[in-house]
Amino acid sequence: MFYKSEAIVLRTVRYSDSRVIVDMLTEVLGRLSFVVSLPQAKSSGGKQSKSKMKRQFFQPLTMVSIEFDYRQNNELQHLRDIRLSIAYSSLFYDYTKLQLAFFLSEFLVHATRRDIADNHLFSFVRNSLLFLDTTGEGYANFHIVFCLRLTRFLGVFPDTGDYEEGFIFDLRDGNFAPTPPFHTDYLNSADAHTFNTLMRLSFSTMHLFAASRSDRNRITDEIIRYYKLHIPSFPDLQALSVLRECGI
């Protein structure tokens, strides 16, 4: 079946000398994987290839418009056409934002599900990236707010309605409780208070939450821990160490 869709590139993995596998979050069918033949630098006659599959289109978090044939039983789909949809003004040129992009793209690869369309999820990711691209400062907490708000679209949103001062947060059950459970997957009362505050932040208010670099690292670790408990096979993220090295 033929489709046209807006899409966001999540990951590109080498498949052979001239082909790559590209994971994309599409607006019409959710996350899909495509096998793509990339042009060589020059043809045998010394001329530049005119292929539409330009390498710059496949950088993580690039926003593109695609046309493709979808076969439900195929793990790898085939692109017919791809065009740049929105060009970022700073995301790929600011070192810190670029490291955030690598982290978010890897996070989305493992958090999103294959072949499940969700227009609201796609819009959230797209609008979040556009906000990051255009904001000039105060975005150190961006990845924290993004990952917490993403839970709303994945069916794992924590229940924050019962919070009271002194409660712990049960990471397995996803709710607050007055006493610790009989397992170790919970946040103590101090961290639960912080978690409750973070759940109420938006991108426009995230700069109001003051946190040290070490605090953000610990918060990020707990968020990933929460995802591991609720998303099957969610792994350790390789981009996390790079993110920390750039000061976020």
Side-chain angles (χ1 to χ4, degrees), residues 145-193:
V145 175
F146 178 90
C147 294
L148 289 176
R149 295 181 72 85
L150 183 66
T151 60
R152 294 178 179 269
F153 305 95
L154 303 178
V156 295
F157 183 67
D159 181 3
T160 59
D162 294 331
Y163 175 75
E164 293 184 21
E165 194 70 31
F167 276 24
I168 60 90
F169 181 75
D170 189 320
L171 291 165
R172 292 187 186 181
D173 289 345
N175 58 19
F176 294 99
T179 57
F182 292 107
H183 56 75
T184 59
D185 293 320
Y186 71 93
L187 304 180
N188 62 34
S189 60
D191 288 341
H193 175 78

Side-chain angles (χ1 to χ4, degrees), residues 95-96 99 213 217 238-248:
Y95 177 76
T96 302
Q99 302 316 310
R213 179 177 174 181
N217 288 343
Q238 296 180 358
L240 183 59
S241 60
V242 180
L243 184 67
R244 288 174 173 170
E245 287 176 3
C246 75
I248 292 294

Side-chain angles (χ1 to χ4, degrees), residues 16-247:
S16 68
D17 288 343
S18 60
R19 294 192 295 173
V20 293
I21 295 174
V22 183
D23 289 324
M24 296 189 190
L25 183 65
T26 71
E27 188 172 20
V28 296
L29 290 176
R31 183 165 57 84
L32 297 174
S33 296
F34 298 88
V35 59
V36 178
S37 296
L38 294 178
Q40 301 299 312
K42 290 185 179 180
S43 65
S44 57
K47 295 182 179 180
Q48 188 72 28
S49 171
K50 295 183 179 180
S51 171
K52 296 178 181 179
M53 305 300 167
K54 300 182 184 301
R55 293 178 182 270
Q56 59 264 37
F57 291 161
F58 303 107
Q59 184 171 347
L61 299 190
T62 299
M63 296 190 186
V64 292
S65 298
I66 60 175
E67 298 177 9
F68 63 98
D69 295 309
Y70 177 70
R71 301 291 183 267
Q72 186 173 5
N73 295 326
N74 289 1
E75 183 176 350
L76 298 176
Q77 309 300 327
H78 290 270
L79 284 175
R80 286 191 184 185
D81 191 25
I82 183 170
R83 299 178 303 279
L84 187 66
S85 175
I86 298 175
Y88 294 118
S89 60
S90 69
L91 190 63
F92 292 158
Y93 312 105
D94 180 291
Y95 177 76
T96 302
K97 288 184 179 181
L98 184 60
Q99 302 316 310
L100 274 170
F102 288 144
F103 172 79
L104 295 175
S105 62
E106 185 181 6
F107 197 98
L108 286 166
V109 165
H110 299 293
T112 55
R113 291 169 289 183
R114 294 179 57 86
D115 306 315
I116 299 178
D118 188 332
N119 292 337
H120 298 295
L121 168 63
F122 183 86
S123 295
F124 166 74
V125 175
R126 178 182 57 196
N127 293 337
S128 299
L129 295 176
L130 291 176
F131 180 92
L132 177 62
D133 181 54
T134 56
T135 191
E137 57 185 13
Y139 57 85
N141 295 321
F142 179 88
H143 60 299
I144 292 174
V145 175
F146 178 90
C147 294
L148 289 176
R149 295 181 72 85
L150 183 66
T151 60
R152 294 178 179 269
F153 305 95
L154 303 178
V156 295
F157 183 67
D159 181 3
T160 59
D162 294 331
Y163 175 75
E164 293 184 21
E165 194 70 31
F167 276 24
I168 60 90
F169 181 75
D170 189 320
L171 291 165
R172 292 187 186 181
D173 289 345
N175 58 19
F176 294 99
T179 57
F182 292 107
H183 56 75
T184 59
D185 293 320
Y186 71 93
L187 304 180
N188 62 34
S189 60
D191 288 341
H193 175 78
T194 299
F195 187 78
N196 183 59
T197 300
L198 291 169
M199 288 300 302
R200 301 174 187 279
L201 292 180
S202 65
F203 294 133
S204 60
T205 61
M206 62 184 177
H207 65 282
L208 299 175
F209 181 78
S212 66
R213 179 177 174 181
S214 61
D215 285 340
R216 278 194 296 271
N217 288 343
R218 189 164 57 84
I219 291 167
T220 304
D221 287 340
E222 294 297 352
I223 292 172
I224 292 175
R225 185 181 174 194
Y226 180 80
Y227 269 84
K228 285 182 176 181
L229 289 168
H230 294 273
I231 302 294
S233 303
F234 195 91
D236 293 327
L237 301 181
Q238 296 180 358
L240 183 59
S241 60
V242 180
L243 184 67
R244 288 174 173 170
E245 287 176 3
C246 75

